[in-house]
Amino acid sequence: MKLKPNILITGTPGVGKSHLAERVADKLELKWHNVSEIAKKHKFLEGFDKVLDCPILDEDKIMDHLEPEMEKGGNIVEYHACEMFPERWFDLIFVIRCSNTILYDRLTKRKYNEKKLQSNIECEIFQTILEEAKDSYEEDKIHELVNETEDQLTENISKIDELIKEWLEVQDKENK
């Protein structure tokens, strides 16, 4: 039995996933797994997409690496895609969103090339990650959060904390 839930934080690049995941992990004492960093560190890469200027991950190696941790519970997995992860891994899924204007400014600061910038803005406009989540996981586990300001970040951390407490209460009742 897991003592803490596993959480997925997902969304278009630039919406604030890493900042939120790091803050939630620190506050709630969860283990944060930044999938992009894991792939780089362990060389779980299959190549490089020159058009979108990004690495292509070896998803099987990433899943094998994360599986033992996920079985224990108490994890936050953070990545800009979600359909590759097994549904059984997550108790709560948070799709992080922000306005296209803010996203454009954030991605421009990161010096994204024009194709990568356009692709990510379109992803946010068409709610691609939210739709992926709805296609991949039970809808009652999915929560959409807007993350544009420090106040919203604080509210999001409180919301996640509240949902974890609710999850723990349900687990406690089911185990009695």
Side-chain angles (χ1 to χ4, degrees), residues 111-122:
K111 299 188 184 328
Y112 276 29
N113 70 40
E114 192 59 37
K115 179 67 179 161
K116 188 173 183 175
L117 183 67
Q118 179 183 352
S119 175
N120 284 296
I121 295 294
E122 288 174 2

Side-chain angles (χ1 to χ4, degrees), residues 16-41:
K17 297 178 304 298
S18 297
H19 192 53
L20 177 62
E22 181 178 30
R23 296 271 304 270
V24 170
D26 286 346
K27 180 177 181 186
L28 305 177
E29 298 178 351
L30 300 170
K31 187 169 182 183
W32 172 31
H33 304 277
N34 178 321
V35 172
S36 296
E37 293 302 317
I38 290 169
K40 288 176 194 169
K41 179 181 177 183

